[in-house]
Amino acid sequence: MTQSHPRISKAVIPAAGLGTRFLPATKATPKEMLPVVDKPAIQYVVEEAVAAGLDDVLMVTGRNKRPLEDHFDRNYELESALQKKGDASRLAKVQESSDLATMHYVRQGDPKGLGHAVLCAAPHVGDEPFAVLLGDDLIDPRDPLLQRMVEVQEQRGGSVIALMEVAPEQIHLYGCAAVETTEDSDVVKVSGLVEKPDPADAPSNYAIIGRYVLDPHIFDILRKTEPGRGGEIQLTDALQQLAEDEKIGGPVHGVVFKGRRYDTGDRGDYLRAIVRLACEREDLGPDFRTWLRSYVAEEM
């Protein structure tokens, strides 16, 4: 019989990275604030959490990340100016980000890796399962990955990670999972994990993408986890311990994602994400697609 587990309400978004791949743009601007069409990337992530029913959001930040807090706060001067102009459309867009969720912030301090960033959330999360969303992966709202992960965790307990099949030559860019099938076609049992393996040593071509639903026992493991690859505390290493011993915090399952994902982690994929999202917008798409076809035809 399927067991019911506590409802998840909290989401953690690590956002303390330096964004070195986007320098000099990120010298004074957080990478999470770079626009994807006309919204910063981080807003898409918060919207995804809220759509999955997680309206208590903790952002793990660092130095020079104050614009993140400002974006999700009220801006009374701007709102007043828009009201006086009678610009209701733009006023609604400005207010949308501040009304999305209950936002909380904590600073990571030393940049010791994703595992350490997640550990910083322990006082806020407490003894509840919670979600972690990385800002480099934008998931199309028409493909509700996080909602499915929450559903699987509530049914099966333990932790749930998002997996995506990638070409074998790309697996060294990701954490990788060894898996076993289950009765659900989109759910696998995770028996092992390794961070950025050599393709010859990879247990599969299932890559971990930036969505997790975690059992709170992960915090106890992270407190004892030694720095791993890159000299950082790796979340993958802690999840490996959970996968090895279900008695610690339940099993680890993976939801295999086959939907639309926009990778904003490097410059090329960031540009491709903007083009794809702009093409699909009702207000921008028709004119933009026409221009794009013309541009490509001329260049070719």
PDB file of all heavy atoms in Angstrom, residues 163-179:
ATOM      1  N   LEU A 163      16.175  13.592 -12.861  1.00  0.00           N
ATOM      2  CA  LEU A 163      17.141  12.988 -13.763  1.00  0.00           C
ATOM      3  C   LEU A 163      16.748  13.244 -15.209  1.00  0.00           C
ATOM      4  O   LEU A 163      15.567  13.365 -15.532  1.00  0.00           O
ATOM      5  CB  LEU A 163      17.218  11.473 -13.534  1.00  0.00           C
ATOM      6  CG  LEU A 163      17.633  10.991 -12.145  1.00  0.00           C
ATOM      7  CD1 LEU A 163      17.510   9.482 -12.053  1.00  0.00           C
ATOM      8  CD2 LEU A 163      19.049  11.436 -11.820  1.00  0.00           C
ATOM      9  N   MET A 164      17.748  13.321 -16.062  1.00  0.00           N
ATOM     10  CA  MET A 164      17.514  13.523 -17.478  1.00  0.00           C
ATOM     11  C   MET A 164      18.567  12.738 -18.246  1.00  0.00           C
ATOM     12  O   MET A 164      19.754  12.766 -17.892  1.00  0.00           O
ATOM     13  CB  MET A 164      17.609  15.015 -17.823  1.00  0.00           C
ATOM     14  CG  MET A 164      17.329  15.350 -19.267  1.00  0.00           C
ATOM     15  SD  MET A 164      17.521  17.141 -19.555  1.00  0.00           S
ATOM     16  CE  MET A 164      19.306  17.293 -19.370  1.00  0.00           C
ATOM     17  N   GLU A 165      18.141  12.034 -19.280  1.00  0.00           N
ATOM     18  CA  GLU A 165      19.101  11.306 -20.098  1.00  0.00           C
ATOM     19  C   GLU A 165      19.896  12.283 -20.962  1.00  0.00           C
ATOM     20  O   GLU A 165      19.322  13.152 -21.619  1.00  0.00           O
ATOM     21  CB  GLU A 165      18.390  10.290 -20.985  1.00  0.00           C
ATOM     22  CG  GLU A 165      17.830   9.105 -20.215  1.00  0.00           C
ATOM     23  CD  GLU A 165      17.354   7.992 -21.132  1.00  0.00           C
ATOM     24  OE1 GLU A 165      18.209   7.227 -21.622  1.00  0.00           O
ATOM     25  OE2 GLU A 165      16.136   7.910 -21.361  1.00  0.00           O
ATOM     26  N   VAL A 166      21.219  12.133 -20.956  1.00  0.00           N
ATOM     27  CA  VAL A 166      22.086  12.966 -21.778  1.00  0.00           C
ATOM     28  C   VAL A 166      22.996  12.072 -22.610  1.00  0.00           C
ATOM     29  O   VAL A 166      23.128  10.867 -22.340  1.00  0.00           O
ATOM     30  CB  VAL A 166      22.939  13.927 -20.913  1.00  0.00           C
ATOM     31  CG1 VAL A 166      22.050  14.845 -20.080  1.00  0.00           C
ATOM     32  CG2 VAL A 166      23.908  13.157 -20.018  1.00  0.00           C
ATOM     33  N   ALA A 167      23.617  12.642 -23.620  1.00  0.00           N
ATOM     34  CA  ALA A 167      24.568  11.891 -24.421  1.00  0.00           C
ATOM     35  C   ALA A 167      25.734  11.442 -23.543  1.00  0.00           C
ATOM     36  O   ALA A 167      26.169  12.185 -22.656  1.00  0.00           O
ATOM     37  CB  ALA A 167      25.081  12.751 -25.572  1.00  0.00           C
ATOM     38  N   PRO A 168      26.242  10.228 -23.754  1.00  0.00           N
ATOM     39  CA  PRO A 168      27.331   9.716 -22.898  1.00  0.00           C
ATOM     40  C   PRO A 168      28.518  10.665 -22.799  1.00  0.00           C
ATOM     41  O   PRO A 168      29.137  10.783 -21.731  1.00  0.00           O
ATOM     42  CB  PRO A 168      27.720   8.403 -23.579  1.00  0.00           C
ATOM     43  CG  PRO A 168      26.478   7.961 -24.279  1.00  0.00           C
ATOM     44  CD  PRO A 168      25.805   9.215 -24.740  1.00  0.00           C
ATOM     45  N   GLU A 169      28.843  11.362 -23.889  1.00  0.00           N
ATOM     46  CA  GLU A 169      29.995  12.264 -23.851  1.00  0.00           C
ATOM     47  C   GLU A 169      29.744  13.528 -23.031  1.00  0.00           C
ATOM     48  O   GLU A 169      30.671  14.302 -22.775  1.00  0.00           O
ATOM     49  CB  GLU A 169      30.418  12.645 -25.278  1.00  0.00           C
ATOM     50  CG  GLU A 169      29.362  13.379 -26.081  1.00  0.00           C
ATOM     51  CD  GLU A 169      28.456  12.458 -26.876  1.00  0.00           C
ATOM     52  OE1 GLU A 169      28.413  11.243 -26.561  1.00  0.00           O
ATOM     53  OE2 GLU A 169      27.795  12.946 -27.812  1.00  0.00           O
ATOM     54  N   GLN A 170      28.499  13.747 -22.581  1.00  0.00           N
ATOM     55  CA  GLN A 170      28.174  14.921 -21.768  1.00  0.00           C
ATOM     56  C   GLN A 170      28.061  14.609 -20.287  1.00  0.00           C
ATOM     57  O   GLN A 170      27.956  15.524 -19.474  1.00  0.00           O
ATOM     58  CB  GLN A 170      26.866  15.553 -22.250  1.00  0.00           C
ATOM     59  CG  GLN A 170      26.933  16.182 -23.626  1.00  0.00           C
ATOM     60  CD  GLN A 170      25.618  16.845 -24.002  1.00  0.00           C
ATOM     61  OE1 GLN A 170      24.531  16.341 -23.696  1.00  0.00           O
ATOM     62  NE2 GLN A 170      25.696  17.989 -24.641  1.00  0.00           N
ATOM     63  N   ILE A 171      28.089  13.340 -19.918  1.00  0.00           N
ATOM     64  CA  ILE A 171      27.792  12.967 -18.539  1.00  0.00           C
ATOM     65  C   ILE A 171      28.832  13.515 -17.562  1.00  0.00           C
ATOM     66  O   ILE A 171      28.540  13.726 -16.378  1.00  0.00           O
ATOM     67  CB  ILE A 171      27.667  11.428 -18.407  1.00  0.00           C
ATOM     68  CG1 ILE A 171      26.961  11.054 -17.106  1.00  0.00           C
ATOM     69  CG2 ILE A 171      29.020  10.746 -18.520  1.00  0.00           C
ATOM     70  CD1 ILE A 171      25.528  11.508 -17.023  1.00  0.00           C
ATOM     71  N   HIS A 172      30.046  13.794 -18.044  1.00  0.00           N
ATOM     72  CA  HIS A 172      31.076  14.320 -17.146  1.00  0.00           C
ATOM     73  C   HIS A 172      30.756  15.734 -16.659  1.00  0.00           C
ATOM     74  O   HIS A 172      31.423  16.245 -15.751  1.00  0.00           O
ATOM     75  CB  HIS A 172      32.440  14.324 -17.854  1.00  0.00           C
ATOM     76  CG  HIS A 172      32.564  15.353 -18.930  1.00  0.00           C
ATOM     77  ND1 HIS A 172      31.978  15.197 -20.181  1.00  0.00           N
ATOM     78  CD2 HIS A 172      33.175  16.570 -18.951  1.00  0.00           C
ATOM     79  CE1 HIS A 172      32.246  16.261 -20.919  1.00  0.00           C
ATOM     80  NE2 HIS A 172      32.965  17.102 -20.203  1.00  0.00           N
ATOM     81  N   LEU A 173      29.742  16.354 -17.225  1.00  0.00           N
ATOM     82  CA  LEU A 173      29.341  17.699 -16.810  1.00  0.00           C
ATOM     83  C   LEU A 173      28.334  17.684 -15.662  1.00  0.00           C
ATOM     84  O   LEU A 173      27.993  18.731 -15.116  1.00  0.00           O
ATOM     85  CB  LEU A 173      28.726  18.453 -17.998  1.00  0.00           C
ATOM     86  CG  LEU A 173      29.620  18.635 -19.228  1.00  0.00           C
ATOM     87  CD1 LEU A 173      28.813  19.225 -20.376  1.00  0.00           C
ATOM     88  CD2 LEU A 173      30.813  19.516 -18.889  1.00  0.00           C
ATOM     89  N   TYR A 174      27.864  16.503 -15.282  1.00  0.00           N
ATOM     90  CA  TYR A 174      26.763  16.381 -14.326  1.00  0.00           C
ATOM     91  C   TYR A 174      27.097  15.384 -13.221  1.00  0.00           C
ATOM     92  O   TYR A 174      28.010  14.570 -13.349  1.00  0.00           O
ATOM     93  CB  TYR A 174      25.497  15.865 -15.029  1.00  0.00           C
ATOM     94  CG  TYR A 174      24.960  16.732 -16.128  1.00  0.00           C
ATOM     95  CD1 TYR A 174      25.415  16.594 -17.444  1.00  0.00           C
ATOM     96  CD2 TYR A 174      23.972  17.682 -15.875  1.00  0.00           C
ATOM     97  CE1 TYR A 174      24.898  17.376 -18.471  1.00  0.00           C
ATOM     98  CE2 TYR A 174      23.448  18.463 -16.896  1.00  0.00           C
ATOM     99  CZ  TYR A 174      23.914  18.306 -18.184  1.00  0.00           C
ATOM    100  OH  TYR A 174      23.404  19.074 -19.197  1.00  0.00           O
ATOM    101  N   GLY A 175      26.284  15.414 -12.163  1.00  0.00           N
ATOM    102  CA  GLY A 175      26.207  14.283 -11.274  1.00  0.00           C
ATOM    103  C   GLY A 175      25.471  13.176 -12.009  1.00  0.00           C
ATOM    104  O   GLY A 175      24.611  13.426 -12.856  1.00  0.00           O
ATOM    105  N   CYS A 176      25.780  11.937 -11.695  1.00  0.00           N
ATOM    106  CA  CYS A 176      25.252  10.800 -12.451  1.00  0.00           C
ATOM    107  C   CYS A 176      24.698   9.759 -11.475  1.00  0.00           C
ATOM    108  O   CYS A 176      25.247   9.560 -10.384  1.00  0.00           O
ATOM    109  CB  CYS A 176      26.362  10.199 -13.305  1.00  0.00           C
ATOM    110  SG  CYS A 176      25.894   8.730 -14.241  1.00  0.00           S
ATOM    111  N   ALA A 177      23.589   9.103 -11.877  1.00  0.00           N
ATOM    112  CA  ALA A 177      22.919   8.150 -10.997  1.00  0.00           C
ATOM    113  C   ALA A 177      22.921   6.743 -11.574  1.00  0.00           C
ATOM    114  O   ALA A 177      22.695   6.554 -12.773  1.00  0.00           O
ATOM    115  CB  ALA A 177      21.483   8.599 -10.739  1.00  0.00           C
ATOM    116  N   ALA A 178      23.175   5.761 -10.709  1.00  0.00           N
ATOM    117  CA  ALA A 178      22.918   4.354 -11.034  1.00  0.00           C
ATOM    118  C   ALA A 178      21.491   4.060 -10.601  1.00  0.00           C
ATOM    119  O   ALA A 178      21.089   4.414  -9.480  1.00  0.00           O
ATOM    120  CB  ALA A 178      23.903   3.456 -10.294  1.00  0.00           C
ATOM    121  N   VAL A 179      20.693   3.438 -11.477  1.00  0.00           N
ATOM    122  CA  VAL A 179      19.257   3.348 -11.212  1.00  0.00           C
ATOM    123  C   VAL A 179      18.728   1.935 -11.438  1.00  0.00           C
ATOM    124  O   VAL A 179      19.334   1.118 -12.126  1.00  0.00           O
ATOM    125  CB  VAL A 179      18.467   4.340 -12.103  1.00  0.00           C
ATOM    126  CG1 VAL A 179      18.961   5.764 -11.886  1.00  0.00           C
ATOM    127  CG2 VAL A 179      18.583   3.974 -13.587  1.00  0.00           C
TER     128      VAL A 179
END
